[in-house]
Structure formats: structure tokens, C-alpha cells
């Protein structure tokens, strides 16, 4: 594993009258065996118990809690599990899955839109585009091929690259500030 950039945040906050602490870690990391690096942002929430110990409440991909407590981290949350260019993990395969183009999953427009980082209307327009220009998908014309074409036609790689650049800039600025201290 090669850690390319990382930053941690800590914040104490009150929820329902009880003291809580959130720790967040954002990374740009290249795991052994992977072809390229990816972004990751995870967190941990603990509550201060009556005996003054910090008691575990939740951890992992707790993006809603992170966004609620540290909204400035939204650019990093957007690219969680995206590669260096901002492309979501298994972007085209997962898009076909969430679009209901497999025997295992019905259309889930909300998840599809979230995966592609677009609104539901735009996700629906992409489905219409694929139906119009690709027709029936099969073993030769796979959903992955159709979604790659649709994403490129709609300009998503450019948008994803801009989001990755913003996230990388945040991590780099943070690293530069730490070096200056």
C-alpha cells in the first residue's frame, strides 16, 4: 500500500444533549494489486459516557454524519472510492446494474444517480439515451459498453475529473499547510 495523501479531522459536537466526537480520515491511496490509486473517506463517531469514557457509536462510510458535522468535506465525499481521475469504482458495470439491466436488480434510479454523481433526471435521460442508441443489450453489446458511451456523451469524465482535481487540491493544500507548520 502506498499512501499518496491523507488528512484527519476531529470535531466535538452535541447531539440530543450528549457530547460526541467525530474523527474523519480522507486518503488518496494506491493498494497493492490495484491498477491505480483511489480516494477514500471514512469516519468514526464516539459518545462521551457518564463515566467519562468515549463509547463507540458508528464507523466506516458514515458520509451523512460527516457531511452534517463537516460540510466543507463534501468535495472529498463526492469522490469516495473513485480513481485518481474521479471515475467511480466500476462506473459502467455498476451503472448497468443499478439501471436494472441485469437479472439481479430492478431499476433503482436514486442509487444510479448517486453512483454517477448526477440528479435523477439526468440519470433517467441516460437510460433513455441507451435505449434509443443502443437498443437491446446482450452478450455482445453489454450494459458496460453502453454506459461508457453514455457517460462520455454526457461529458461525465470531464465532470468527474474536475471533482477529483478539487478533492486532490484539498488534500494537497492540507499537506502543504501541515509541512509549513
Amino acid at each position: 500500500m502506498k499512501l499518496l495523501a491523507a488528512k484527519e479531522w476531529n470535531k466535538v459536537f452535541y447531539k440530543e444533549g450528549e457530547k460526541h466526537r467525530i474523527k474523519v480520515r480522507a486518503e488518496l491511496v494506491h493498494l497493492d494489486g490495484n491498477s491505480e490509486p483511489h480516494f477514500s473517506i471514512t469516519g468514526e463517531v464516539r459518545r462521551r459516557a457518564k463515566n467519562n469514557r468515549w463509547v463507540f457509536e458508528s464507523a466506516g462510510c458514515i458520509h451523512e454524519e460527516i457531511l452534517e458535522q463537516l460540510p466543507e468535506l463534501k468535495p472529498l465525499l463526492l469522490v469516495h472510492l473513485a480513481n485518481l481521475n474521479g471515475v467511480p469504482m466500476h462506473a459502467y458495470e455498476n451503472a448497468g446494474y443499478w439501471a436494472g439491466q441485469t437479472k439481479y436488480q430492478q431499476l433503482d434510479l436514486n442509487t444510479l444517480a448517486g453512483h454517477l454523481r448526477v440528479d435523477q433526471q439526468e440519470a433517467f435521460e441516460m437510460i433513455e439515451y441507451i435505449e434509443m442508441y443502443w437498443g437491446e443489450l446482450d452478450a455482445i453489446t453489454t450494459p458496460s459498453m453502453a454506459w461508457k458511451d453514455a457517460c462520455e456523451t454526457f461529458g461525465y469524465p470531464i465532470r468527474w475529473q474536475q471533482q477529483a482535481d478539487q478533492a486532490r487540491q484539498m488534500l494537497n493544500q492540507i499537506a502543504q499547510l501541515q509541512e509549513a507548520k
Side-chain angles (χ1 to χ4, degrees), residues 26-38:
E27 301 176 333
L28 181 57
V29 63
H30 192 169
L31 297 176
D32 296 335
N34 286 2
S35 59
E36 54 192 331
H38 70 275

Side-chain angles (χ1 to χ4, degrees), residues 25-147:
R25 182 173 175 87
E27 301 176 333
L28 181 57
V29 63
H30 192 169
L31 297 176
D32 296 335
N34 286 2
S35 59
E36 54 192 331
H38 70 275
F39 291 94
S40 171
I41 182 165
T42 56
E44 174 184 290
V45 175
R46 292 184 179 261
R47 174 182 48 82
R48 183 56 83 53
K50 291 179 181 175
N51 64 6
N52 229 16
R53 292 187 181 177
W54 288 104
V55 179
F56 175 85
E57 283 206 342
S58 64
C61 184
I62 55 170
H63 291 176
E64 289 179 15
E65 288 139 317
I66 294 170
L67 189 58
E68 183 180 328
Q69 295 304 321
L70 297 160
E72 66 273 20
L73 300 184
K74 186 175 182 178
L76 292 164
L77 292 166
L78 283 174
V79 296
H80 175 70
L81 296 183
N83 71 15
L84 199 55
N85 299 318
V87 179
M89 181 188 292
H90 309 298
Y92 313 118
E93 295 84 356
N94 286 340
Y97 178 81
W98 294 117
Q101 296 167 336
T102 72
K103 64 182 181 181
Y104 305 105
Q105 175 68 36
Q106 297 295 316
L107 170 63
D108 184 337
L109 196 59
N110 186 49
T111 303
L112 173 63
H115 173 67
L116 296 172
R117 302 196 299 266
V118 299
D119 63 34
Q120 289 187 15
Q121 178 62 37
E122 201 167 349
F124 184 74
E125 289 170 7
M126 290 188 73
I127 293 170
E128 289 180 327
Y129 169 87
I130 289 170
E131 289 172 355
M132 184 184 322
Y133 290 99
W134 282 82
E136 192 67 31
L137 301 173
D138 54 32
I140 297 171
T141 56
T142 64
S144 178
M145 293 166 57
W147 280 97

